Amino acid sequence: MKSFEWTVLGTGIGPLLLAATGEGLVCVVFHADAGVRDQALRQLSGRLAAEPVQDATGLLAEPIRQLEAYFAGELREFSLPLDWSLSGGFNREVLRELTAAAPFGTVVGYGDLAARVGQPGAAQAVGAAMGSNPLPVVVPCHRVVETDGKLGGFGGGLETKRRLLALEGVLPEPLF
């Protein structure tokens, strides 16, 4: 049976579950305590038809290095091979466009991103695509905001979104 490698990385926004296949980084999961981790590994195993293997051959070495550099404020753009097998169609198109639309330190509106993929009336569908993002942080769905400047939703929670945007200098650091 095929396999995928996984690990949990401690970060300033809490533990992240990272998973990779031979194609590249396939999944990032927020708040990866034991319960979240185990559930995510079961789901990934089913969706990828592969067995989870912890830290085996080093597929995660470069994602770990780049994420650590990002959280240390030393990396502004990820250059990792990504396995897009958990995303398809419109969602994949929007997620691929996102990195170009909102580089480090900037934000983009849901409607603006919809227009960039040729679907100007699809802001809600863009929101759904952000919610389906299997690679948050690396594919920066935290940079997508509502047109009126409100943060909008976020799968990792609004506090996590605020902290990521503060790390990138978009929002001020919280006072406490």
Side-chain angles (χ1 to χ4, degrees):
M1 181 176 205
K2 293 187 332 184
S3 65
F4 65 92
E5 294 181 17
W6 69 275
T7 193
V8 174
L9 177 66
T11 73
I13 58 167
L16 297 178
L17 170 73
L18 308 178
T21 67
E23 296 290 313
L25 189 65
V26 70
C27 191
V28 176
V29 177
F30 291 112
H31 314 300
D33 60 23
V36 168
R37 177 200 68 211
D38 293 347
Q39 180 180 359
L41 289 173
R42 280 191 301 277
Q43 289 175 338
L44 275 171
S45 188
R47 290 190 67 192
L48 297 172
E51 285 296 314
V53 178
Q54 190 171 7
D55 290 328
T57 65
L59 291 176
L60 290 166
E62 188 60 14
I64 289 168
R65 187 193 72 72
Q66 288 191 31
L67 281 159
E68 286 176 340
Y70 169 81
F71 284 108
E74 300 163 0
L75 181 80
R76 297 169 64 94
E77 186 176 338
F78 293 99
S79 58
L80 295 169
L82 302 177
D83 178 338
W84 287 97
S85 62
L86 297 177
S87 184
F90 178 79
N91 289 357
R92 183 186 298 185
E93 181 183 1
V94 169
L95 291 168
R96 285 180 176 247
E97 179 60 30
L98 172 58
T99 303
F104 185 96
T106 67
V107 294
V108 64
Y110 292 98
D112 296 333
L113 192 52
R116 285 185 66 116
V117 297
Q119 302 286 331
Q124 285 186 316
V126 166
M130 295 305 107
S132 77
N133 183 4
L135 295 158
V137 182
V138 176
V139 177
C141 54
H142 59 277
R143 297 180 190 152
V144 183
V145 298
E146 293 180 4
T147 305
D148 61 7
K150 291 182 182 157
L151 288 182
F154 191 62
L158 287 182
E159 183 56 30
T160 300
K161 187 172 187 170
R162 278 189 198 95
R163 291 172 73 186
L164 288 167
L165 291 172
L167 174 75
E168 295 186 7
V170 174
L171 292 176
E173 289 288 343
L175 296 175
F176 44 85

